[in-house]
Amino acid sequence: MRYVVDAPMVAHLWAHQSQDSARNGRNFYFEGKDIYSYGSHFRCASVEANQQGQKAYLVTTRTYSNTTCKHMGMVRKAIPYGELIFYTPRSVSLHNDKLLESSYYESAYYIVDQVEEISEYINAQQKSRTQNYTEHVKECLLNIGRWIEFWGLDKRQKSATGRWLMPILAKLSSTAKKDITKFWTVTGERPRYCSELPRENKSEYQELFLDILARGLLQTTSATEYKTLLSQLFIDRTGDPLLWEHFAERKERQDAINRRNEELREQRYAERRERWLREEEERHRIANMSFEEKKELWYSGEISNRWFTLPYGLDFNALLRVRNGCIETSMGIQVKAKEAVRLWKLVELFHKNEADFRHDLVHDANNHNWSINSYKNDILTAGCHRIRYEEMRNAARQLGIAA
């Protein structure tokens, strides 16, 4: 029997309870029925059994890190299909086949959590444009029923310490101040580096809980009747007699918007594809041209720098052209006319040997500076550019600054 295995196998062995423990050697392990990520402070899930020996998986809904998120995915994937699963941050288990009082209160808090979730779904339905939340509420109600049945919370039972635990629905329905404090002031998620659990008063949801009980939504009824009762719950809780008509109108408008957006997406895709095909056709046409033909097209502005490169092996690597009053290089740099006048005067001095070479800067149209590194054999080197004197003279003539 191996106790150090890879992470997916840790989850598999835990879910099937094939052995009493295993770990991946670092941060993911299980001991008995509980599986942990990074330590006992974060229990991913547990395999619980009730007094009848039936099994259920309690999978946490607590927030977690990216790595723990991967562990949680392995845990969920490892649970066999068809097993009873409760997604909850609550920790409930039997001790000597009986509930501890702490577990009894935690089991009540699970129901409170579900009622709060139902309230959120009902409120969301008022503004929803696409989602009908009745199935979500139905699932919450079914979860409450399964939870009560699994733990036997519908009848009186003795705790592990010998005290009597009353039926949970009666306690949650009680309006006595003591019961509201105990059963509707629930524990939250423990903050890191804090030993005390925060508590939050959620008695505001008790009225909704009583309404659910009064409507018999926790009892088994025919599917048609249940759907009617559930629909009426939404209408009464929102106070909108035309809730579903308004939802249908919003949904119809949203569906129309979605259709238009889909048509626009398809249209944009068709336009992009057509543009791409044209560009591919142009690219192939240009690729079959000689360098001299490409050069003339580039000078005239018919092709961009994207489609034009100079062949390797030349003593220069950049050409110049005049566009919109600026000098543009075949490597995509632009120099304004004022800066071009200053540079041309400098180049002329170097060309005629009337001045010794000195380092200078080229200030381009995007406010970037390029160092003039050398001038040899009538080739100016500035940054990554190597430009012939004849090229610079032709550009200067087009700007009207050279004879």
Side-chain angles (χ1 to χ4, degrees), residues 5 24-25 53 101-102 130 168 186 226 240 266 271 364 384:
V5 295
N24 72 340
E101 288 184 58
S102 58
T130 58
I168 205 73
V186 306
Y226 193 85
D240 183 1
E266 291 177 357
E271 291 171 354
D364 71 17
C384 58

Side-chain angles (χ1 to χ4, degrees), residues 6-165:
D6 60 20
M9 183 54 70
V10 171
H12 176 82
L13 293 173
W14 162 80
H16 292 80
Q17 292 288 280
S18 304
Q19 56 192 61
D20 56 358
S21 66
R23 62 177 57 244
N24 72 340
R26 293 171 297 176
N27 50 22
F28 190 40
Y29 66 96
F30 78 90
E31 294 175 352
K33 62 185 182 64
D34 302 313
I35 186 165
Y36 303 96
S37 176
Y38 281 100
S40 58
H41 66 282
F42 193 95
R43 183 169 71 170
C44 300
S46 64
V47 185
E48 302 295 347
N50 62 13
Q51 294 173 345
Q52 288 73 43
Q54 297 169 327
K55 185 170 65 174
Y57 293 84
L58 271 61
V59 180
T60 188
T61 55
R62 288 172 58 190
T63 55
Y64 32 75
S65 67
N66 288 337
T67 306
T68 299
C69 181
K70 295 177 183 178
H71 294 162
M72 290 299 302
M74 295 173 193
V75 166
R76 288 188 288 266
K77 189 175 180 179
I79 298 174
Y81 176 78
E83 294 290 344
L84 182 60
I85 304 173
F86 295 106
Y87 293 97
T88 174
R90 308 297 171 188
S91 176
V92 181
S93 58
L94 296 182
H95 181 73
N96 294 330
D97 287 333
K98 294 181 179 178
L99 282 172
L100 290 168
E101 288 184 58
S102 58
S103 288
Y104 173 68
Y105 287 118
E106 282 288 292
S107 67
Y109 300 156
Y110 171 84
I111 297 174
V112 174
D113 293 340
Q114 294 295 306
V115 174
E116 180 182 11
E117 198 169 335
I118 290 171
S119 177
E120 291 172 355
Y121 285 137
I122 292 174
N123 291 335
Q125 189 64 63
Q126 290 180 283
K127 296 182 179 180
S128 175
R129 292 181 291 181
T130 58
Q131 183 67 58
N132 186 328
Y133 289 103
T134 52
E135 286 300 317
H136 296 74
V137 171
K138 180 181 177 181
E139 187 61 26
C140 289
L141 294 170
L142 292 175
N143 285 337
I144 293 173
R146 296 184 192 113
W147 182 261
I148 292 172
E149 181 182 1
F150 183 80
W151 295 112
L153 299 173
D154 55 341
K155 55 184 179 295
R156 192 175 70 153
Q157 56 182 295
K158 272 194 175 183
S159 70
T161 58
R163 297 188 62 179
W164 283 106
L165 305 175

Side-chain angles (χ1 to χ4, degrees), residues 17 59 139 177 209 261 268 271 295 336 363 391:
Q17 292 288 280
V59 180
E139 187 61 26
K177 186 175 180 180
F209 174 72
N261 289 340
R268 286 194 294 267
E271 291 171 354
K295 185 169 69 170
K336 292 183 178 179
H363 189 70
E391 196 70 23

Side-chain angles (χ1 to χ4, degrees), residues 99-363:
L99 282 172
L100 290 168
E101 288 184 58
S102 58
S103 288
Y104 173 68
Y105 287 118
E106 282 288 292
S107 67
Y109 300 156
Y110 171 84
I111 297 174
V112 174
D113 293 340
Q114 294 295 306
V115 174
E116 180 182 11
E117 198 169 335
I118 290 171
S119 177
E120 291 172 355
Y121 285 137
I122 292 174
N123 291 335
Q125 189 64 63
Q126 290 180 283
K127 296 182 179 180
S128 175
R129 292 181 291 181
T130 58
Q131 183 67 58
N132 186 328
Y133 289 103
T134 52
E135 286 300 317
H136 296 74
V137 171
K138 180 181 177 181
E139 187 61 26
C140 289
L141 294 170
L142 292 175
N143 285 337
I144 293 173
R146 296 184 192 113
W147 182 261
I148 292 172
E149 181 182 1
F150 183 80
W151 295 112
L153 299 173
D154 55 341
K155 55 184 179 295
R156 192 175 70 153
Q157 56 182 295
K158 272 194 175 183
S159 70
T161 58
R163 297 188 62 179
W164 283 106
L165 305 175
M166 296 297 105
I168 205 73
L169 295 183
K171 284 296 183 181
L172 287 170
S173 302
S174 174
T175 55
K177 186 175 180 180
K178 180 177 70 174
D179 289 332
I180 291 175
T181 301
K182 284 184 176 180
F183 292 92
W184 288 94
T185 306
V186 306
T187 56
E189 186 174 335
R190 179 184 284 112
R192 198 173 184 183
Y193 308 122
C194 180
S195 58
E196 294 185 4
L197 282 172
R199 300 185 72 87
E200 182 180 357
N201 187 342
K202 295 188 177 181
S203 58
E204 61 186 284
Y205 301 110
Q206 188 184 36
E207 194 267 332
L208 171 59
F209 174 72
L210 294 173
D211 192 8
I212 289 170
L213 289 182
R215 295 172 188 267
L217 289 170
L218 294 182
Q219 300 170 2
T220 304
T221 59
S222 67
T224 304
E225 183 182 355
Y226 193 85
K227 185 177 180 180
T228 303
L229 290 172
L230 201 54
S231 176
Q232 193 61 43
L233 174 69
F234 274 81
I235 292 171
D236 293 344
R237 300 302 303 185
T238 58
D240 183 1
L242 300 176
L243 174 69
W244 299 114
E245 287 80 358
H246 293 157
F247 169 66
E249 291 171 1
R250 291 194 301 272
K251 189 174 187 303
E252 185 177 352
R253 287 195 299 269
Q254 187 61 43
D255 288 344
I257 292 171
N258 292 343
R259 284 193 299 271
R260 285 197 300 272
N261 289 340
E262 183 62 27
E263 290 171 0
L264 288 173
R265 277 193 295 269
E266 291 177 357
Q267 181 181 342
R268 286 194 294 267
Y269 173 78
E271 291 171 354
R272 286 196 303 269
R273 180 164 177 79
E274 184 179 352
R275 187 165 58 249
W276 178 81
L277 289 172
R278 286 198 304 268
E279 289 177 354
E280 279 294 291
E281 185 179 344
E282 180 68 7
R283 186 176 68 82
H284 286 300
R285 185 180 73 84
I286 294 171
N288 292 325
M289 291 181 178
S290 67
F291 171 66
E292 291 300 322
E293 290 175 320
K294 293 179 187 176
K295 185 169 69 170
E296 291 306 317
L297 287 176
W298 183 81
Y299 278 136
S300 66
E302 292 183 41
I303 61 174
S304 67
N305 296 326
R306 176 183 174 189
W307 304 107
F308 179 72
T309 56
L310 272 70
Y312 290 107
L314 302 176
D315 55 359
F316 61 95
N317 67 355
L319 301 180
L320 301 179
R321 66 183 177 187
V322 176
R323 296 186 70 188
N324 302 320
C326 295
I327 292 180
E328 180 183 350
T329 78
S330 57
M331 300 174 78
I333 302 301
Q334 289 187 335
V335 176
K336 292 183 178 179
K338 184 178 180 181
E339 177 71 356
V341 171
R342 184 185 73 84
L343 293 172
W344 175 243
K345 291 178 180 178
L346 192 62
V347 168
E348 279 284 77
L349 291 174
F350 295 156
H351 172 66
K352 295 176 181 179
N353 292 320
E354 294 178 359
D356 294 332
F357 171 77
R358 67 175 186 272
H359 290 279
D360 206 318
L361 294 175
V362 179
H363 189 70

